[in-house]
Amino acid sequence: MTDNEFHIVVLIKPVPDMEKVRFDVEKGVVDRSSAPLEINPFDLNALEAAVQIKEKLGGEVTAVSMAPPAAESVLRDAIARGADRAVLLTDRRFAGADTLATSYALASAIRKLGRFNLIICGEKTVDGDTGQVGPEVAEMLGIPHIAYVTEIREVTKEKLLVVSELGAPYLMELKLPGLITVTKDVNKPRLPTLKDKLKARKAKVEVWSADDLADVADVSRFGFSGSPTQVVKVLVPPMKKRRSQIFKGEDAVDKLIEALEMEGLLR
Amino acid sequence: MVFAEQHNGKIHPVTFELLSKGRELADRKEVELSSVILGHQIREEAKELIYYGADKVFIFDHPTLKEFDSILYKQNIVSLIREEKPEIVLIGATHLGRSLAPRIAAALNTGLTADCIDLQLDEDGELIQVRPAFTGNILAYIKTKTKPVMTTVRYKVFKARERDPMRKGEIIEKEVKVVEDTGTKILGKIPREAVNISDAGVVVAGGRGLRRPDDLKMLEELASLLGGVVGVSRPLVDEGWASKDRQVGFSGNIVKPKLYVAVGISGSPQHLAGMKDSEIVVAINVDPSAPIFNVADYGVVGDLYEVIPKPIEKIKLRKMKL
Ligand SMILES: Cc1cc2nc3c(=O)[nH]c(=O)nc-3n(C[C@H](O)[C@H](O)[C@H](O)COP(=O)(O)OP(=O)(O)OC[C@H]3O[C@@H](n4cnc5c(N)ncnc54)[C@H](O)[C@@H]3O)c2cc1C
Ligand SMILES: Cc1cc2nc3c(=O)[nH]c(=O)nc-3n(C[C@H](O)[C@H](O)[C@H](O)COP(=O)(O)OP(=O)(O)OC[C@H]3O[C@@H](n4cnc5c(N)ncnc54)[C@H](O)[C@@H]3O)c2cc1C
């Protein structure tokens, strides 16, 4: 690795598969054991963007996750999809992190990695769903960011030309080093080939603990103790009551029209 | 303190909703409600913030603030928050707000709750922030230990107060901190056919049950007869049949119309996350076990190509008689 190579860091959150995860309405809890972990869908787009840029500029793509040990398989999947290196931050002291503590741990890990030119995140996750981690990491590293990138038009080692959704689409320039968060529109992620998968099975995932970051970070700012926001209650909201009149057969459409007329919806 | 989002000098309506909620919280806590606006030549607009409920408005007026710049905005707001020490900071959960708020929170090392749909005060006067998570499947109640408590709030969950042009307040001009090069630059706006499905009273949405892009015209016709607009599920955007502004769902737009008609849409959790709060939901699907029927008030199990022409005809006929 020579130092003028282009370094891309992709932040990947392992999340439960939303098609499988179960919610306990009575207890108001998410049964996390009900679903296997996978790459947050938006992070597939982030990874694909990184791989495409690497194909153009050369260099290296590093995937970084903060997650429980079981997430190692998720990072292996990231390697199969084109990451050259994968780092898993895992330690009980990272647990219970809100976005501030998560961003602090991720920013610390990026500092520890040393040189980086571009950081790519997903626009948000399918579980925590805040979309805050990207811009918070950028602030902590003191670099500019552009969120909600829907298109990457040009890349050079110095800057990026992108389209960002800010209420309307804007053409924007980002000087590097910088960070972007991408939406699903930015690309169509490729599927890994069987060969890639086999290669990834043997690849090494580096596992870092809180202590491994002690030289670049204040470990008390990790995890629960470094998290100002706390979830005090979780509720599985009952679905809105619906009239549930489903019509079938010959006169179904007439019945529908009649019902809509009664509601005063057909003017 | 309420952040007033503006585009080309026009204040985003979520700002007025936040002022209304902010007013209520401030009155209960017996504190002042302030607002901050950044831009260029926005002094007239700033008065609106008072008319809608602010006691004090801080203005940062400078040519470099004409367009949004996350770092310039952040720096000026952070220094204002450090001076004024508001207990609570409310920001609209728009794209702009959700890009800006985390930078401010990280700079202040404080907690930030995302995309709230309700704000309550508990017995101790602490803010309880309610927000959906897990793709809209759960509601989380969140408290913040640090000050200020920062929150982004979804558009259209609170009602704006009546505008009162007699309302008095103080407007305070602040000195703008300028940075030569923040690393990001807006080069231009990309023109796009602007449809605003979030504000529509009726949405007729098409999904993968449609066979050809042209078939959206049929939905277009029904929508216009009902005084509404056409929305779509994600796959139609992916296929390039419709623009992103028409997409309903978790990675698209959230809609809350009086009438939502789902045509050939299965009702995935990601789609429901964008429309399940609609007043009346009508579903048309060939598959009686499609999950969309679980959230439907009325439904027809049938082929959309046979169903849709009928109400179109009926409404047309009625219009002719009138
Ligand atoms: C129900 C619920 C509600 C919550 N609400 C809040 C809240 O309002 N405020 C708050 O501060 N915290 C909240 N949290 C905590 C928050 O979910 C976690 O801090 C989480 O680790 C990161 O936030 P996110 O999932 O929202 O990520 P987002 O900010 O939505 O993620 C954006 C991108 O950042 C990257 N990223 C995020 N997390 C990781 C990771 N662990 N490893 C690698 N990359 C990552 C990915 O690229 C991702 O696409 C909540 C948690 C729960 C369970
Ligand atoms: C991270 C993530 C984000 C996503 N975000 C979104 C989002 O924002 N919005 C969104 O919509 N999706 C989103 N999706 C995709 C989502 O999971 C579903 O794939 C999508 O909603 C399915 O669209 P559909 O209902 O149109 O298609 P399908 O699920 O294929 O359903 C088509 C339906 O049409 C019916 N049908 C077929 N022919 C006819 C006919 N002739 N007459 C009547 N009915 C017929 C079928 O019975 C079927 O129920 C997201 C997915 C992920 C992973």
Side-chain angles (χ1 to χ4, degrees):
Chain A
M1 211 33 48
T2 59
D3 232 358
N4 55 10
E5 270 193 12
F6 200 73
H7 292 255
I8 308 175
V9 175
V10 185
L11 298 180
I12 289 184
K13 186 176 187 195
V15 297
D17 179 348
M18 282 298 136
E19 306 291 324
K20 303 212 178 87
V21 69
R22 296 278 158 266
F23 302 92
D24 189 327
V25 184
E26 310 251 285
K27 293 203 207 103
V29 293
V30 181
D31 177 10
R32 283 184 184 267
S33 65
S34 62
L37 289 176
E38 61 176 26
I39 298 179
N40 174 45
F42 298 97
D43 301 349
L44 289 175
N45 299 87
L47 182 54
E48 176 67 31
V51 173
Q52 285 182 15
I53 293 171
K54 184 186 95 170
E55 285 166 354
K56 231 178 249 156
L57 299 180
E60 192 182 63
V61 174
T62 304
V64 179
S65 290
M66 184 185 86
E72 207 177 302
S73 63
V74 174
L75 279 172
R76 248 175 241 296
D77 188 21
I79 292 172
R81 291 169 191 270
D84 300 293
R85 185 177 171 193
V87 176
L88 174 62
L89 308 181
T90 194
D91 194 313
R92 290 189 102 99
R93 282 175 288 170
F94 292 130
D98 70 357
T99 59
L100 194 72
T102 300
S103 304
Y104 185 68
L106 293 170
S108 305
I110 294 168
R111 262 201 208 106
K112 173 117 189 157
L113 284 171
R115 243 196 73 150
F116 63 89
N117 301 82
L118 174 63
I119 302 169
I120 310 183
C121 300
E123 74 164 277
K124 60 179 174 185
T125 63
V126 294
D127 55 357
D129 189 7
T130 66
Q132 294 175 177
V133 169
E136 288 193 340
V137 167
E139 179 62 27
M140 288 170 182
L141 293 171
I143 56 171
H145 85 277
I146 296 180
Y148 304 106
V149 168
T150 57
E151 195 185 326
I152 300 174
R153 292 230 172 137
E154 275 172 45
V155 277
T156 66
K157 290 190 174 173
E158 288 75 41
K159 61 186 181 209
L160 243 59
L161 195 63
V162 301
V163 177
S164 158
E165 181 65 54
L166 279 176
Y170 286 93
L171 186 64
M172 293 183 75
E173 187 185 278
L174 174 72
K175 264 208 190 141
L176 301 181
L179 180 148
I180 56 172
T181 78
V182 300
T183 72
K184 282 182 84 72
D185 305 277
V186 79
N187 55 39
K188 282 210 167 66
R190 279 166 278 190
L191 289 173
T193 63
L194 188 63
K195 200 173 122 225
D196 294 332
K197 283 190 194 160
L198 288 174
K199 195 189 81 197
R201 221 191 287 168
K202 281 182 245 133
K204 185 168 134 249
V205 171
E206 295 164 56
V207 178
W208 293 0
S209 69
D211 284 337
D212 289 326
L213 297 177
D215 54 338
V216 289
D218 167 3
V219 295
S220 71
R221 289 177 62 187
F222 294 150
F224 187 77
S225 63
S227 297
T229 69
Q230 257 142 42
V231 178
V232 288
K233 183 168 86 175
V234 164
L235 205 101
V236 181
M239 280 281 182
K240 201 171 156 197
K241 265 248 167 287
R242 297 286 178 185
R243 294 175 186 62
S244 303
Q245 295 187 31
I246 312 300
F247 309 116
K248 289 184 194 134
E250 280 285 281
D251 56 352
V253 184
D254 295 333
K255 283 192 189 144
L256 172 68
I257 291 174
E258 201 177 298
L260 294 181
E261 275 173 339
M262 296 279 288
E263 295 274 4
L265 288 167
L266 295 190
R267 286 168 297 143
Chain B
M1 182 180 289
V2 169
F3 167 71
E5 175 174 343
Q6 59 85 17
H7 294 264
N8 298 319
K10 198 169 165 286
I11 295 174
H12 191 292
V14 72
T15 309
F16 303 129
E17 300 171 2
L18 295 184
L19 285 169
S20 153
K21 190 66 191 182
R23 183 73 263 158
E24 182 194 317
L25 295 172
D27 288 345
R28 285 197 45 202
K29 292 178 85 72
E30 296 175 12
V31 296
E32 240 172 22
L33 176 67
S34 66
S35 184
V36 53
I37 184 164
L38 301 87
H40 186 44
Q41 293 166 343
I42 37 150
R43 291 181 184 82
E44 272 310 303
E45 290 301 316
K47 292 185 192 149
E48 294 295 321
L49 302 170
I50 292 177
Y51 302 159
Y52 279 96
D55 299 314
K56 246 187 203 169
V57 175
F58 298 98
I59 303 190
F60 291 86
D61 196 304
H62 193 270
T64 59
L65 298 173
K66 188 168 187 323
E67 308 226 56
F68 175 61
D69 182 300
S70 61
I71 291 182
L72 274 182
Y73 271 48
K74 175 218 62 180
Q75 288 201 333
N76 287 291
I77 295 172
V78 163
S79 66
L80 179 68
I81 291 176
R82 289 209 170 110
E83 279 167 32
E84 293 298 317
K85 304 191 171 48
E87 275 184 59
I88 298 172
V89 177
L90 304 179
I91 297 180
T94 57
H95 286 104
L96 189 154
R98 291 181 79 172
S99 180
L100 171 66
R103 278 206 92 110
I104 298 173
L108 293 169
N109 206 18
T110 193
L112 173 64
T113 304
D115 201 23
C116 291
I117 58 166
D118 198 11
L119 298 174
Q120 305 160 357
L121 290 176
D122 70 5
E123 316 82 68
D124 309 323
E126 283 192 67
L127 193 67
I128 309 277
Q129 304 153 89
V130 186
R131 62 173 301 252
F134 282 85
T135 316
N137 282 300
I138 66 165
L139 283 183
Y141 290 67
I142 293 172
K143 265 194 188 179
T144 306
K145 294 189 293 195
T146 47
K147 287 277 160 0
V149 175
M150 286 188 64
T151 306
T152 65
V153 180
R154 194 176 277 188
Y155 178 33
K156 288 202 157 179
V157 300
F158 297 128
K159 252 200 146 59
R161 293 154 40 109
E162 200 76 44
R163 179 176 183 269
D164 175 5
M166 304 308 283
R167 238 186 138 265
K168 295 276 174 287
E170 201 182 342
I171 293 190
I172 302 155
E173 191 101 21
K174 300 298 289 187
E175 199 184 318
V176 176
K177 284 200 186 73
V178 182
V179 184
E180 278 305 318
D181 180 4
T182 58
T184 64
K185 215 165 37 195
I186 294 187
L187 303 177
K189 202 166 163 175
I190 293 172
R192 140 175 103 180
E193 166 217 11
V195 264
N196 187 346
I197 66 168
S198 304
D199 289 337
V202 175
V203 177
V204 178
R208 208 142 55 176
L210 292 170
R211 291 190 204 112
R212 290 167 295 269
D214 246 14
D215 300 344
L216 277 168
K217 292 216 180 89
M218 187 167 70
L219 303 192
E220 197 76 64
E221 187 173 12
L222 179 60
S224 80
L225 286 169
L226 292 168
V229 298
V230 166
V232 293
S233 67
R234 168 97 220 173
L236 272 54
V237 177
D238 289 341
E239 291 299 318
W241 292 16
S243 69
K244 173 93 182 178
D245 355 340
R246 293 192 188 269
Q247 184 190 324
V248 176
F250 183 63
S251 57
N253 301 282
I254 294 163
V255 299
K256 234 184 197 173
K258 280 204 181 62
L259 173 63
Y260 189 86
V261 187
V263 184
I265 289 177
S266 61
S268 65
Q270 294 86 359
H271 190 81
L272 299 186
M275 47 65 69
K276 66 172 188 264
D277 294 326
S278 304
E279 259 171 59
I280 300 273
V281 174
V282 172
I284 294 154
N285 200 303
V286 276
D287 176 6
S289 65
I292 190 74
F293 285 125
N294 300 335
V295 299
D297 293 287
Y298 303 105
V300 169
V301 179
D303 183 347
L304 71 95
Y305 289 93
E306 286 165 23
V307 174
I308 297 297
K310 291 187 191 167
I312 290 181
E313 216 171 289
K314 183 112 186 176
I315 305 170
K316 272 191 182 162
L317 229 122
R318 167 125 35 119
K319 294 216 161 159
M320 259 157 55
K321 278 189 207 143
L322 286 177

